[in-house]
Amino acid sequence: MAGVLLWVVCPKGNATALLSLIPRSGKHKRCRVHQKVKFSTGVSAISSAVANPARSSEEKVYDVVLKQAALVKEQRGKKTLDLGTRTETDGFTDWDLLNEAYDRCGEVCAEYAKTFYLGTLLMTPERRRAVWAIYVWCRRTDELVDGPNASHITPRALDRWEKRLDDLFEGRPYDMLDAALSDTVSKYPVDIQPFKDMIEGMRLDLRKSRYMNFDELYLYCYYVAGTVGLMSVPVMGIAPESKASVESVYNAALALGIANQLTNILRDVGEDARRGRIYLPQDELARFGLSDDDIFRGQVTDKWRNFMKDQIKRARMFFDEAEKGVSELNAASRWPVWASLLLYRQILDAIEENDYNNFSKRAYVGKVKKFASLPVAYGRALMGTSKLF
């Protein structure tokens, strides 16, 4: 995504033609719904963090879960929207150009997330296109701090990216890929806060390279990965026959994001250390008799093995929690989520097989294991909703 930097630094460009891509009347109606929804906390996760600095990261994040769950509940209480119906607008809409934007999102997803892309093909056309649009926005956001132009990204550039996010939620996209997401959020009860929180995670990467405890790390994992679950569930949908609470399904989606990011961190310890970053709780390292110097030396010792066993155990606990919610999703949406979960869990197995050497060996799941996981994921997807809630 080499062009991301240009889009952030000079976001406006010639965007006039793109304004006609998004149904204005539909978007404004959705925004009024946001204004009417009332929440018990009355504040977002960010503002509550300022008002209540002693609250844990999990409590702060749960505010966002409640807000998103309330939006979904409100929509479920209304007559089901026919997502295949084109909304009448007060201006001309170039549907061919919008379809092209979604197709391009699908191409990006197919190139960079092949297994997940295959799973999305089982979804309804509207749902899979929406998931592609969300995936592409998340990828572009991540590329800002981890892509080829990362050294040129500043906090001001992220501020401009966030302003651009505000605009696309209001039906003012800057380019074709933004137009696809703008159309998506006009159709589904997706709140802007998880998107803003992901950008906040990118800000953390610019200024923070150490995490004192797991509470700090949990918030970072939510920002950069847990947010994806909160973005996606409104699109994937909850099974009509599910007896689970909306909040419990969102908690499971959040847990999957946390589990995936913890797995990324444990897989990439050596790679991150070479960039001067250590995404491991400092207090837990100290408890096992380890320090930053041990990470930079990259030697596998008994202390390191014991530390890693403890970290892997926690990541698996989050995967276990995530499993409870996957079966509650709409039937057509379960397979890609199960595939992602099973494949990522196997990365933890690979770390163990490498004797916990994540300094110089990269843990990965081979093609044979990947293909073997797909029918297992499909079988679980067919099992239907669980009795776990």
Side-chain angles (χ1 to χ4, degrees), residues 85-103:
T85 302
R86 293 176 174 177
T87 308
E88 293 295 327
T89 71
D90 54 4
F92 171 75
T93 301
D94 189 338
W95 291 104
D96 288 338
L97 192 55
L98 186 57
N99 287 333
E100 184 181 342
Y102 275 117
D103 288 344

Side-chain angles (χ1 to χ4, degrees), residues 299-344:
Q299 294 181 351
V300 179
T301 63
D302 287 339
K303 289 181 179 179
W304 179 252
R305 292 185 183 93
N306 291 332
F307 172 77
M308 283 300 303
K309 289 175 184 178
D310 197 59
Q311 300 299 306
I312 289 173
K313 179 181 178 181
R314 177 162 53 204
R316 284 180 173 144
M317 288 174 61
F318 278 100
F319 277 121
D320 291 342
E321 184 65 27
E323 286 193 13
K324 297 177 183 178
V326 182
S327 295
E328 308 303 325
L329 295 176
N330 183 284
S333 301
R334 294 172 197 152
W335 190 33
V337 182
W338 270 120
S340 172
L341 189 155
L342 294 176
L343 290 172
Y344 253 77

Side-chain angles (χ1 to χ4, degrees), residues 11-71:
K12 281 286 183 186
N14 183 17
T16 305
L18 293 164
L19 299 180
S20 64
L21 289 173
I22 306 304
R24 298 294 182 81
S25 59
K27 168 57 68 176
H28 292 165
K29 182 177 180 181
R30 186 191 63 79
C31 289
R32 287 198 293 272
V33 170
H34 280 251
Q35 293 166 1
K36 291 179 181 177
V37 176
K38 301 295 183 182
F39 307 103
S40 59
T41 58
V43 288
S44 70
I46 302 301
S47 60
S48 65
V50 175
N52 303 283
R55 300 174 72 214
S56 72
S57 292
E58 290 192 38
E59 290 172 322
K60 298 170 191 174
V61 171
Y62 192 59
D63 285 346
V64 187
V65 172
L66 290 176
K67 186 177 181 182
Q68 179 63 80
L71 290 176

